[in-house]
Amino acid sequence: MKGVRLGRLQVVWIGLVLLALLAAFSALAPRTFPTAFNLLNLVSDAAILLLLATGMTYVIITAGIDLSVGGVLVFSAVAAAEVMDATGSLLLGTLAALVTGLAWGVLNGVLIALGRIPALIVTLGTLGMSLGGALLLTGGVDLRAPTDLNLGLGLARWLGVPLIVWICAAITAVLALMLAYTRFGRHTYAIGSNAEAARRGGVAVHGHLIRVYGLAGLLAGLAGQLSLAKYGITGVSAHSTDNLQAIAAVVIGGTSLFGGVGTVAGTVIGVFIPVVLQNGFQILGVRPFWQQVVVGAVLVAAVYVDQWRRRARDQ
């Protein structure tokens, strides 16, 4: 597919940028940066954001946007904490997080696809609704995770790597393959390239958009449960920029804001570039504000390259 091929070309050059950053920080801090302990910190810091960014990849490839994922994450974490506190069941808490996230995602999809309201407006509204709902449920006070969850899943390791990282990596890998090789993925690219042509080609555009936004909400719900396990609290005020971080990672990774182009592999690289910058700057003692400056510059450059590529293709 054309969208996959273009996305893979973008992955190559942005992958070289990540390798250059890793090499530079390794040379500047050879005793602290390229260690197993530090690299493990890198993947741990990126894991939960990776779920949000993977869902965002699907959404942006359809030429949409989802600003609500941070609020949905928080609301799902609160719902899970409330259910686990009431029932004592970790399984029911996890189910509550997933169902809650899915419900917010489907609501976004229905309003966008059937209500014909711009995605920016819908998801900005549901961002406020979900964060406000979480604050109403908690009274603005963070809820604590059950000890069994925080000390169990939150600290569990397999082969020395946190289980949360394995879960996020496995889900990301499955969704990467689904986007690249299944009919669901092909329809996602088709809608982003030309929704009307996709409709005439037999794609159920409205239903597919609802499923895509539902997927993004489901992943945000799972991220809420994993965040609750990892940090031990709901973090009501700690996820206000998660949506922007996810969008930045997707765009840096080569997914076009105009739709029809992108890969999950590129998004993985896009997630790690800000994480590596933040980690490297901390080790070198550089003021953390520079990380925001550099990430912003990379984001602008990525969008410029995308627009240049579109103009060249249209000529």
Side-chain angles (χ1 to χ4, degrees):
M1 290 177 292
K2 192 173 183 180
V4 177
R5 290 196 301 270
L6 291 173
R8 285 173 179 167
L9 290 174
Q10 190 88 341
V11 168
V12 172
W13 79 262
I14 202 66
L16 293 175
V17 171
L18 178 59
L19 289 175
L21 288 174
L22 292 170
F25 285 127
S26 296
L28 293 170
R31 295 185 178 180
T32 50
F33 184 83
T35 62
F37 176 77
N38 190 55
L39 294 177
L40 194 58
N41 283 337
L42 286 175
V43 296
S44 297
D45 291 342
I48 293 175
L49 177 60
L50 188 56
L51 286 182
L52 298 180
T54 299
M56 190 71 72
T57 303
Y58 276 78
V59 169
I60 292 180
I61 287 176
T62 67
I65 199 77
D66 189 351
L67 299 178
S68 70
V69 290
V72 172
L73 183 156
V74 171
F75 191 95
S76 299
V78 168
E82 294 276 15
V83 169
M84 287 186 289
D85 183 60
T87 65
S89 170
L90 301 185
L91 180 60
L92 288 178
T94 302
L95 184 61
L98 295 176
V99 170
T100 302
L102 178 62
W104 280 109
V106 169
L107 175 62
N108 284 336
V110 167
L111 292 175
I112 292 164
L114 302 182
R116 298 177 182 268
I117 305 172
L120 180 70
I121 302 302
V122 169
T123 58
L124 184 61
T126 52
L127 168 64
M129 291 164 62
S130 55
L131 283 177
L135 291 170
L136 286 172
L137 289 173
T138 63
V141 178
D142 279 321
L143 303 180
R144 292 194 173 275
T147 303
D148 290 346
L149 179 67
N150 187 222
L151 300 182
L153 177 59
L155 297 180
R157 289 175 178 255
W158 184 56
L159 300 178
V161 178
L163 188 57
I164 288 176
V165 172
W166 287 111
I167 293 171
C168 294
I171 292 172
T172 300
V174 169
L175 291 174
L177 294 173
M178 186 171 79
L179 181 62
Y181 297 111
T182 69
R183 185 170 62 176
F184 187 88
R186 290 193 294 273
H187 288 180
T188 301
Y189 283 111
I191 291 171
S193 297
N194 189 320
E196 182 59 32
R199 182 180 293 107
R200 292 180 179 180
V203 178
V205 173
H206 290 166
H208 191 85
L209 285 174
I210 292 171
R211 288 190 290 273
V212 165
Y213 281 93
L215 173 64
L218 182 67
L219 292 174
L222 177 59
Q225 177 71 347
L226 295 180
S227 176
L228 186 61
K230 181 177 180 179
Y231 299 110
I233 58 173
T234 50
V236 173
S237 61
H239 298 278
S240 58
T241 63
D242 281 4
N243 52 1
L244 301 181
Q245 292 181 56
I247 293 169
V250 173
V251 174
I252 289 172
T255 297
S256 173
L257 284 170
F258 300 98
V261 175
T263 63
V264 173
T267 295
V268 173
I269 298 172
V271 166
F272 274 101
I273 284 179
V275 172
V276 168
L277 284 170
Q278 181 178 16
N279 180 271
F281 284 167
Q282 287 175 347
I283 289 175
L284 295 175
V286 178
R287 296 176 68 187
F289 309 113
W290 280 107
Q291 184 243 348
Q292 300 178 31
V293 174
V294 175
V295 171
V298 173
L299 178 61
V300 172
V303 174
Y304 174 79
V305 169
D306 177 45
Q307 290 186 322
W308 173 81
R309 186 177 56 196
R310 284 174 57 86
R311 288 195 297 268
R313 188 172 70 236
D314 293 339
Q315 288 178 353

